[in-house]
Amino acid sequence: MDFQFTPKQREIYELVGALAKEKFAPRAAKYDVLATSPVENLQDFRDNGLLKLTISEDLGGMGSGAMGRDPVLYLLAIEQTARVDMSTAQCLHIHSHGSHLIDHVGTQEQREHFLLKVVEDGALCNATGSEPGRTSRGQYNLTTSAERVDGGYVINGLKNYATLGDVADFNIMFAGVVHKAPSMGHLMIVVPKGTPGLSLVPDSWNPMGMRGAASPSFKLENVFVPDDHVLGEPGVYPRERWQAKFHLGFAAQYLGGAEGIFDILTDYLPKRGTAGDSYAQLRVGEIRIGIDSVRWLIYRAAWLWSRGEIQQAELLSLEAKHRAIDNAVMTMDKAAQVAGSSAFWADSAMARFFRDMRIHTLHENLDKTAATIGKFYLGQEFDTTARL
Ligand SMILES: Cc1cc2nc3c(=O)[nH]c(=O)nc-3n(C[C@H](O)[C@H](O)[C@H](O)COP(=O)(O)OP(=O)(O)OC[C@H]3O[C@@H](n4cnc5c(N)ncnc54)[C@H](O)[C@@H]3O)c2cc1C
């Protein structure tokens, strides 16, 4: 068993670590205020070839992502980015999520048509299934409708939380084919920026945290989507349990965020004069233990994906995500206990991390995640994509 990073993993870990410290950290407060996508950071990803992390090597990508040759590579980039700016990490995750979907579900023509624009021109992708009220209806029970017409579908509906919605070139969206059962009619479409009938809902992004991961709402009014912009057969996303392939991307964000809080705390406490305090040492130790246990759980789950042990990889990815969320919440509580009120001025990085982490850990349902693991070990029916 080898715990060493490969030379490529080391290179990406250090490259993104440097970008994060030197470029992303100084800009984080600005995008937090603006609540728009961090275009300068996205340009840095583009300039350093990091937008092609989860695209296969045959198209000039780096071959990462759950179904790629080296699943951990993009997780290292997300972890190191989240360590200074969780919003930018979500942007990198959702672009990597979208491009990986096209890479592994799209036809060869679709892969070349969309992904060569990512590899050669730095085009941006995203992936939006979310709709108002979806949590109560179930993630595959969509109100956005797809009506079959000659040569394609006509789409009508409202999507929310479309990360990178203000800058993406290729919006991957999910809609329900009318007169089909939710999971059977679950359609994955690519709607390029500027498509007639697609419009951003003004002032639809104003959360307390993750503000730099601009995720506005989209209205779709009689949007025509040609067949060559439909990814796979209806139902492919739930049938192939694609949502389970993205659990680790979220876990890496929560891990990086906890490391970011740890970095601020271990820099601040000596300056506050409390590094010698035994309770501060206790809490800092507990936070470090939590971070390191989450990290190796994520890396092991990624290793299982690289070996093609799909079910075990899905289950351990769920465990890693659960631990990462639990650890993030614990980290916030313990860090606050020993940092004290002065560390939380409204414009401080610590305050931003707390706002970002609190809202982004709600992206996933902690209890359903644990219950799914319980169902498996109790021999009950389970769904590794259950997350809302
Ligand atoms: C920072 C961040 C980034 C995200 N990025 C993405 C992304 O890129 N892609 C993606 O798919 N998801 C994304 N999500 C969304 C995520 O997947 C979940 O869908 C979302 O977190 C669920 O929020 P909720 O439970 O509050 O919503 P829900 O409970 O599903 O909806 C609550 C909202 O819907 C309204 N509502 C409830 N019922 C109805 C109804 N019947 N009709 C109309 N309105 C109704 C409520 O008033 C409320 O405003 C992101 C989430 C976060 C926090």
Side-chain angles (χ1 to χ4, degrees), residues 147-206:
E147 185 128 18
R148 182 83 196 143
V149 294
D150 284 352
Y153 292 86
V154 170
I155 313 292
N156 281 283
L158 177 66
K159 307 301 285 184
N160 63 357
Y161 289 105
T163 299
L164 289 178
D166 56 342
V167 291
D169 301 284
F170 303 124
N171 298 285
I172 297 176
M173 293 180 170
F174 305 152
V177 178
V178 291
H179 311 312
K180 282 219 171 170
S183 55
M184 300 298 291
H186 189 279
L187 197 70
M188 201 160 31
I189 53 178
V190 182
V191 186
K193 182 165 51 181
T195 298
L198 176 72
S199 59
L200 280 172
V201 178
D203 307 322
S204 56
W205 183 242
N206 185 26

Coordinates of all heavy atoms in Angstrom, one line a residue, residues 147-206:
E147 N -40.5 18.5 -24.0 CA -41.5 18.0 -25.0 C -40.8 17.6 -26.3 O -40.1 18.4 -26.8 CB -42.5 19.1 -25.3 CG -43.7 18.7 -26.1 CD -45.0 19.1 -25.5 OE1 -45.0 20.0 -24.6 OE2 -46.0 18.5 -25.9
R148 N -41.1 16.3 -26.7 CA -40.4 15.8 -27.9 C -41.0 16.5 -29.1 O -42.3 16.7 -29.2 CB -40.7 14.3 -28.0 CG -40.1 13.7 -29.2 CD -38.6 13.3 -28.9 NE -37.9 13.1 -30.2 CZ -36.6 13.4 -30.4 NH1 -36.0 14.1 -29.5 NH2 -36.0 13.1 -31.5
V149 N -40.2 17.0 -30.0 CA -40.6 17.6 -31.3 C -39.6 17.1 -32.4 O -38.6 16.5 -32.0 CB -40.5 19.2 -31.2 CG1 -41.6 19.7 -30.2 CG2 -39.1 19.7 -30.9
D150 N -39.9 17.5 -33.6 CA -39.0 17.1 -34.7 C -37.6 17.6 -34.4 O -37.4 18.7 -34.2 CB -39.4 17.6 -36.0 CG -40.7 16.8 -36.5 OD1 -41.0 15.8 -35.9 OD2 -41.3 17.2 -37.5
G151 N -36.6 16.6 -34.4 CA -35.2 17.0 -34.3 C -34.7 17.4 -32.9 O -33.6 17.8 -32.7
G152 N -35.6 17.2 -31.9 CA -35.2 17.6 -30.6 C -36.3 17.7 -29.5 O -37.3 17.0 -29.6
Y153 N -36.1 18.6 -28.6 CA -37.0 18.8 -27.5 C -37.3 20.3 -27.3 O -36.4 21.1 -27.5 CB -36.5 18.2 -26.2 CG -36.4 16.7 -26.1 CD1 -35.3 16.1 -26.6 CD2 -37.4 16.0 -25.6 CE1 -35.2 14.7 -26.5 CE2 -37.3 14.6 -25.5 CZ -36.2 13.9 -26.0 OH -36.1 12.6 -25.9
V154 N -38.4 20.7 -26.8 CA -38.7 22.0 -26.4 C -38.8 22.0 -24.8 O -39.6 21.2 -24.3 CB -40.0 22.6 -27.0 CG1 -40.4 23.9 -26.3 CG2 -39.8 22.8 -28.5
I155 N -38.0 22.9 -24.2 CA -37.8 22.9 -22.8 C -38.5 24.1 -22.1 O -38.3 25.2 -22.6 CB -36.3 22.9 -22.4 CG1 -35.6 21.8 -23.2 CG2 -36.2 22.7 -20.9 CD1 -35.9 20.4 -22.9
N156 N -39.3 23.9 -21.1 CA -39.8 25.0 -20.3 C -39.6 24.7 -18.8 O -39.8 23.5 -18.4 CB -41.3 25.1 -20.6 CG -41.6 25.8 -21.9 OD1 -41.5 27.0 -21.9 ND2 -41.9 25.0 -22.9
G157 N -39.2 25.7 -18.1 CA -39.1 25.5 -16.6 C -38.2 26.5 -16.0 O -37.8 27.5 -16.6
L158 N -37.9 26.3 -14.7 CA -37.1 27.2 -13.9 C -36.1 26.4 -13.1 O -36.4 25.4 -12.4 CB -38.0 27.9 -12.8 CG -37.3 28.9 -11.9 CD1 -36.7 30.1 -12.6 CD2 -38.3 29.4 -10.8
K159 N -34.8 26.7 -13.3 CA -33.7 26.0 -12.6 C -33.1 27.0 -11.6 O -33.0 28.2 -11.9 CB -32.6 25.5 -13.5 CG -33.0 24.7 -14.7 CD -33.7 23.4 -14.3 CE -32.8 22.4 -13.9 NZ -33.6 21.1 -13.6
N160 N -32.7 26.5 -10.4 CA -32.0 27.4 -9.5 C -30.7 26.9 -9.1 O -30.3 25.8 -9.5 CB -32.9 27.7 -8.2 CG -33.2 26.5 -7.4 OD1 -32.8 25.4 -7.8 ND2 -33.8 26.7 -6.2
Y161 N -29.9 27.7 -8.4 CA -28.5 27.2 -8.0 C -27.7 26.8 -9.2 O -27.0 25.8 -9.1 CB -28.6 26.1 -7.0 CG -29.1 26.4 -5.6 CD1 -30.4 26.1 -5.2 CD2 -28.3 27.1 -4.7 CE1 -30.8 26.3 -3.9 CE2 -28.7 27.4 -3.4 CZ -30.0 27.0 -3.0 OH -30.4 27.2 -1.7
A162 N -27.7 27.5 -10.2 CA -26.9 27.2 -11.4 C -25.5 27.8 -11.2 O -25.2 28.9 -11.7 CB -27.5 27.7 -12.7
T163 N -24.6 27.1 -10.5 CA -23.2 27.6 -10.3 C -22.5 27.9 -11.7 O -22.7 27.1 -12.6 CB -22.4 26.6 -9.5 OG1 -23.0 26.5 -8.2 CG2 -21.0 27.1 -9.2
L164 N -21.8 28.9 -11.8 CA -21.2 29.4 -13.0 C -22.2 29.9 -14.0 O -21.9 30.2 -15.2 CB -20.3 28.4 -13.6 CG -19.0 28.1 -12.9 CD1 -18.2 27.0 -13.6 CD2 -18.1 29.3 -12.8
G165 N -23.5 30.0 -13.6 CA -24.6 30.4 -14.5 C -24.3 31.7 -15.2 O -24.7 32.0 -16.4
D166 N -23.6 32.6 -14.6 CA -23.3 34.0 -15.1 C -22.2 34.0 -16.2 O -22.0 35.0 -16.9 CB -23.1 35.0 -14.0 CG -21.9 34.6 -13.1 OD1 -21.5 33.4 -13.1 OD2 -21.3 35.4 -12.4
V167 N -21.4 32.9 -16.2 CA -20.3 32.9 -17.2 C -20.1 31.6 -18.0 O -19.3 31.6 -18.9 CB -19.0 33.1 -16.4 CG1 -18.8 34.4 -15.8 CG2 -18.8 32.0 -15.3
A168 N -20.9 30.6 -17.7 CA -20.7 29.3 -18.4 C -21.0 29.4 -19.9 O -22.0 30.0 -20.3 CB -21.6 28.2 -17.7
D169 N -20.2 28.6 -20.7 CA -20.5 28.6 -22.1 C -21.5 27.4 -22.4 O -22.3 27.6 -23.3 CB -19.2 28.3 -22.9 CG -18.2 29.4 -22.6 OD1 -18.3 30.5 -23.2 OD2 -17.3 29.2 -21.7
F170 N -21.3 26.3 -21.7 CA -22.2 25.2 -21.9 C -22.9 24.8 -20.6 O -22.3 24.3 -19.6 CB -21.4 24.0 -22.4 CG -20.6 24.3 -23.6 CD1 -19.2 24.1 -23.7 CD2 -21.3 24.7 -24.8 CE1 -18.5 24.3 -24.8 CE2 -20.5 25.0 -25.9 CZ -19.2 24.8 -26.0
N171 N -24.2 25.1 -20.5 CA -25.0 24.8 -19.3 C -25.6 23.4 -19.5 O -26.5 23.2 -20.3 CB -26.2 25.8 -19.2 CG -25.7 27.2 -19.0 OD1 -25.2 27.6 -17.9 ND2 -25.7 28.1 -20.0
I172 N -25.2 22.5 -18.7 CA -25.8 21.2 -18.7 C -27.0 21.3 -17.7 O -26.8 21.8 -16.6 CB -24.8 20.1 -18.2 CG1 -23.7 19.9 -19.2 CG2 -25.6 18.7 -18.1 CD1 -22.6 18.9 -18.7
M173 N -28.1 20.9 -18.2 CA -29.4 21.0 -17.4 C -30.1 19.7 -17.4 O -30.0 18.9 -18.4 CB -30.2 22.1 -17.8 CG -29.6 23.5 -17.6 SD -30.6 24.8 -18.2 CE -29.8 26.2 -17.6
F174 N -31.0 19.4 -16.4 CA -31.8 18.2 -16.4 C -33.3 18.7 -16.5 O -33.7 19.6 -15.9 CB -31.6 17.5 -15.1 CG -30.2 17.1 -14.8 CD1 -29.8 17.0 -13.4 CD2 -29.3 16.9 -15.7 CE1 -28.5 16.6 -13.1 CE2 -27.9 16.6 -15.5 CZ -27.6 16.4 -14.1
A175 N -34.0 17.9 -17.3 CA -35.4 18.2 -17.5 C -36.2 16.8 -17.6 O -35.5 15.8 -17.8 CB -35.7 18.9 -18.8
G176 N -37.5 16.8 -17.4 CA -38.2 15.6 -17.4 C -39.0 15.5 -18.7 O -39.8 16.4 -19.0
V177 N -38.8 14.4 -19.4 CA -39.6 14.2 -20.7 C -41.1 14.0 -20.3 O -41.4 13.2 -19.4 CB -39.1 13.0 -21.4 CG1 -39.9 12.7 -22.7 CG2 -37.6 13.1 -21.8
V178 N -41.9 14.8 -20.9 CA -43.4 14.7 -20.5 C -43.9 13.3 -20.8 O -43.5 12.6 -21.7 CB -44.2 15.8 -21.3 CG1 -43.8 17.2 -20.8 CG2 -44.0 15.7 -22.8
H179 N -44.9 12.9 -20.0 CA -45.5 11.6 -20.1 C -44.6 10.4 -19.8 O -44.8 9.3 -20.1 CB -46.2 11.4 -21.4 CG -47.1 12.5 -21.8 ND1 -48.0 13.1 -21.0 CD2 -47.1 13.2 -23.0 CE1 -48.6 14.1 -21.6 NE2 -48.0 14.2 -22.9
K180 N -43.4 10.7 -19.2 CA -42.5 9.6 -18.8 C -42.3 9.7 -17.3 O -42.2 10.7 -16.7 CB -41.1 9.7 -19.5 CG -41.1 9.3 -20.9 CD -39.8 8.6 -21.3 CE -39.9 7.9 -22.7 NZ -38.6 7.4 -23.1
A181 N -42.1 8.5 -16.6 CA -41.8 8.5 -15.2 C -40.5 9.2 -14.9 O -39.6 9.2 -15.8 CB -41.7 7.0 -14.7
P182 N -40.4 9.9 -13.7 CA -39.2 10.7 -13.4 C -37.9 10.1 -13.8 O -37.2 10.7 -14.6 CB -39.4 10.9 -11.9 CG -40.8 10.9 -11.6 CD -41.4 9.9 -12.6
S183 N -37.5 9.0 -13.2 CA -36.2 8.5 -13.5 C -36.0 8.0 -14.9 O -35.0 8.1 -15.5 CB -35.8 7.4 -12.5 OG -36.7 6.4 -12.5
M184 N -37.1 7.5 -15.5 CA -37.0 7.0 -17.0 C -36.9 8.2 -17.9 O -36.3 8.2 -18.9 CB -38.3 6.2 -17.3 CG -38.5 5.0 -16.5 SD -37.1 3.9 -16.7 CE -37.4 3.4 -18.4
G185 N -37.6 9.3 -17.5 CA -37.6 10.5 -18.4 C -36.6 11.6 -18.1 O -36.7 12.7 -18.6
H186 N -35.7 11.3 -17.2 CA -34.7 12.2 -16.8 C -33.7 12.5 -17.9 O -32.9 11.7 -18.3 CB -33.9 11.7 -15.6 CG -33.1 12.7 -14.9 ND1 -31.8 13.0 -15.3 CD2 -33.3 13.4 -13.7 CE1 -31.3 13.9 -14.5 NE2 -32.1 14.1 -13.5
L187 N -33.9 13.7 -18.5 CA -33.1 14.1 -19.7 C -32.0 15.0 -19.4 O -32.1 16.0 -18.6 CB -34.0 14.8 -20.7 CG -33.6 14.9 -22.2 CD1 -33.6 13.5 -22.8 CD2 -34.5 15.8 -22.9
M188 N -30.8 14.8 -19.9 CA -29.6 15.6 -19.7 C -29.3 16.4 -21.0 O -29.1 15.8 -22.1 CB -28.4 14.7 -19.3 CG -27.3 15.4 -18.6 SD -26.2 14.4 -17.7 CE -26.1 12.8 -18.5
I189 N -29.4 17.7 -21.0 CA -29.2 18.5 -22.2 C -28.1 19.5 -22.0 O -27.8 19.9 -20.9 CB -30.6 19.3 -22.5 CG1 -31.0 20.0 -21.3 CG2 -31.6 18.3 -23.0 CD1 -32.3 20.8 -21.5
V190 N -27.5 20.0 -23.1 CA -26.6 21.1 -23.1 C -27.2 22.3 -23.7 O -27.7 22.2 -24.9 CB -25.3 20.7 -23.9 CG1 -24.3 21.9 -23.8 CG2 -24.7 19.4 -23.4
V191 N -27.3 23.4 -23.0 CA -27.9 24.6 -23.5 C -26.8 25.7 -23.5 O -26.5 26.2 -22.4 CB -29.1 25.0 -22.6 CG1 -29.8 26.3 -23.2 CG2 -30.1 23.9 -22.3
P192 N -26.3 26.0 -24.7 CA -25.2 26.9 -24.7 C -25.7 28.3 -24.3 O -26.8 28.7 -24.5 CB -24.8 26.9 -26.2 CG -25.2 25.6 -26.7 CD -26.5 25.3 -26.0
K193 N -24.8 29.1 -23.8 CA -25.0 30.5 -23.4 C -25.6 31.2 -24.7 O -25.2 30.9 -25.8 CB -23.7 31.2 -23.0 CG -23.8 32.6 -22.6 CD -22.6 33.1 -21.9 CE -21.3 32.9 -22.5 NZ -20.1 33.5 -21.7
G194 N -26.6 32.0 -24.5 CA -27.2 32.8 -25.6 C -28.3 32.0 -26.4 O -28.8 32.6 -27.4
T195 N -28.6 30.8 -26.0 CA -29.7 30.1 -26.6 C -31.0 30.8 -26.5 O -31.4 31.3 -25.4 CB -29.8 28.7 -26.1 OG1 -28.6 27.9 -26.3 CG2 -31.0 27.9 -26.7
P196 N -31.8 31.0 -27.6 CA -33.1 31.7 -27.5 C -34.0 31.1 -26.4 O -34.1 29.9 -26.4 CB -33.7 31.6 -28.9 CG -32.5 31.5 -29.8 CD -31.5 30.6 -29.0
G197 N -34.6 31.9 -25.6 CA -35.5 31.4 -24.5 C -34.8 31.1 -23.2 O -35.5 30.9 -22.2
L198 N -33.5 31.1 -23.2 CA -32.8 30.9 -21.9 C -32.4 32.3 -21.3 O -31.8 33.1 -22.0 CB -31.5 30.1 -22.2 CG -30.6 29.9 -20.9 CD1 -31.2 28.9 -20.0 CD2 -29.2 29.5 -21.4
S199 N -32.9 32.5 -20.1 CA -32.5 33.8 -19.4 C -32.2 33.7 -18.0 O -32.8 32.8 -17.3 CB -33.7 34.8 -19.6 OG -34.9 34.2 -19.0
L200 N -31.3 34.5 -17.5 CA -31.0 34.5 -16.1 C -32.0 35.3 -15.3 O -32.5 36.3 -15.8 CB -29.6 35.2 -15.9 CG -28.3 34.3 -16.1 CD1 -27.1 35.2 -16.1 CD2 -28.3 33.2 -15.1
V201 N -32.4 34.8 -14.1 CA -33.4 35.6 -13.3 C -32.6 36.6 -12.5 O -31.7 36.3 -11.8 CB -34.2 34.6 -12.4 CG1 -35.1 35.4 -11.5 CG2 -34.9 33.5 -13.2
P202 N -32.9 37.9 -12.8 CA -32.2 39.0 -12.1 C -32.2 38.8 -10.6 O -33.3 38.4 -10.0 CB -32.9 40.3 -12.5 CG -33.7 39.9 -13.7 CD -34.0 38.4 -13.6
D203 N -31.2 39.2 -9.9 CA -31.1 39.2 -8.4 C -31.6 37.9 -7.8 O -32.2 37.9 -6.7 CB -32.1 40.4 -7.8 CG -31.7 41.7 -8.5 OD1 -30.5 41.9 -8.7 OD2 -32.7 42.4 -8.8
S204 N -31.2 36.8 -8.4 CA -31.6 35.5 -7.9 C -30.5 34.8 -7.1 O -30.6 33.6 -6.8 CB -32.1 34.6 -9.0 OG -31.1 34.4 -10.0
W205 N -29.4 35.5 -6.8 CA -28.3 34.9 -6.0 C -27.9 35.9 -4.9 O -27.2 36.9 -5.1 CB -27.1 34.6 -6.9 CG -26.0 33.9 -6.1 CD1 -24.7 34.4 -5.9 CD2 -26.1 32.6 -5.5 NE1 -24.0 33.4 -5.2 CE2 -24.8 32.4 -4.9 CE3 -27.1 31.7 -5.4 CZ2 -24.5 31.2 -4.2 CZ3 -26.8 30.5 -4.7 CH2 -25.5 30.3 -4.1
N206 N -28.4 35.6 -3.7 CA -28.0 36.5 -2.5 C -27.9 35.7 -1.2 O -28.6 36.0 -0.3 CB -29.0 37.6 -2.4 CG -28.6 38.6 -1.3 OD1 -27.4 38.7 -1.0 ND2 -29.6 39.2 -0.6

